Amino acid sequence: FHHPGPPPPYKERGDMEGPETVDWDRLAKDIDACTEKASQGEERTTAVVIVEGFLLLWCDEVVKRCGVLVFLRAGKEECLARRLGRNPERSQEERKDLAAYFERCVWPAYTRYIEPVANRLAAEGVLRQVVVDR
């Protein structure tokens, strides 16, 4: 749902972490299509579609399609450690560039776009939170 093609290296990358980088209409349509397909089986079962991404709470159209919202909440250090741990083959230089990108773009996007929405949804009782800090 982000721009086509591989992203540029972290040290050359602009901010790709805001909600404007997601095709929300397409995502909503894809969720609807998956939900419909999952519920069309011959046996009567409950359709389960899992949608993942840290910006998902930002879009009301996506949120209203979710029967259950689970938010894995982690602190800044844990999020950075998990991001760095995704690919243990990264060079030291790429790890340094990724950490700088995280500080410049990823964490500010979380605090600007997601944290306030997650707090509101949790207060409304709509969101189940799980803390994953070590």
Side-chain angles (χ1 to χ4, degrees):
F1 294 94
H2 292 277
H3 68 83
Y10 289 107
K11 67 180 167 186
E12 299 170 14
R13 189 177 297 185
D15 188 348
M16 297 173 57
E17 306 301 324
E20 70 282 355
T21 65
V22 179
D23 184 342
W24 296 108
D25 291 334
R26 178 177 166 201
L27 178 58
K29 288 176 185 173
D30 285 351
I31 292 170
D32 292 342
C34 289
T35 302
E36 184 176 328
K37 183 177 180 180
S39 64
Q40 290 180 348
E42 290 184 26
E43 298 178 23
R44 292 194 176 261
T45 60
T46 301
V48 175
V49 177
I50 297 174
V51 184
E52 180 274 333
F54 91 99
L55 285 171
L56 293 177
L57 297 179
W58 184 86
C59 181
D60 290 337
E61 288 300 311
V62 169
V63 168
K64 76 180 187 181
R65 285 168 166 76
C66 299
V68 176
L69 289 170
V70 177
F71 183 61
L72 302 178
R73 187 180 289 268
K76 183 177 179 181
E77 298 306 316
E78 179 69 19
C79 289
L80 176 58
R82 287 171 179 253
R83 179 87 44 135
L84 290 170
R86 286 182 189 171
N87 181 357
E89 305 297 316
R90 290 186 207 279
S91 69
Q92 280 302 106
E93 182 179 349
E94 186 179 10
R95 290 176 61 81
K96 184 179 121 232
D97 293 342
L98 172 53
Y101 178 78
F102 179 91
E103 290 288 335
R104 187 178 80 244
C105 300
V106 176
W107 195 253
Y110 168 77
T111 59
R112 180 176 182 190
Y113 300 115
I114 302 311
E115 194 169 40
V117 176
N119 291 339
R120 177 180 55 82
L121 292 173
E124 293 171 1
V126 176
L127 183 68
R128 298 175 189 179
Q129 298 186 80
V130 178
V131 178
V132 294
D133 279 337
R134 295 177 207 195

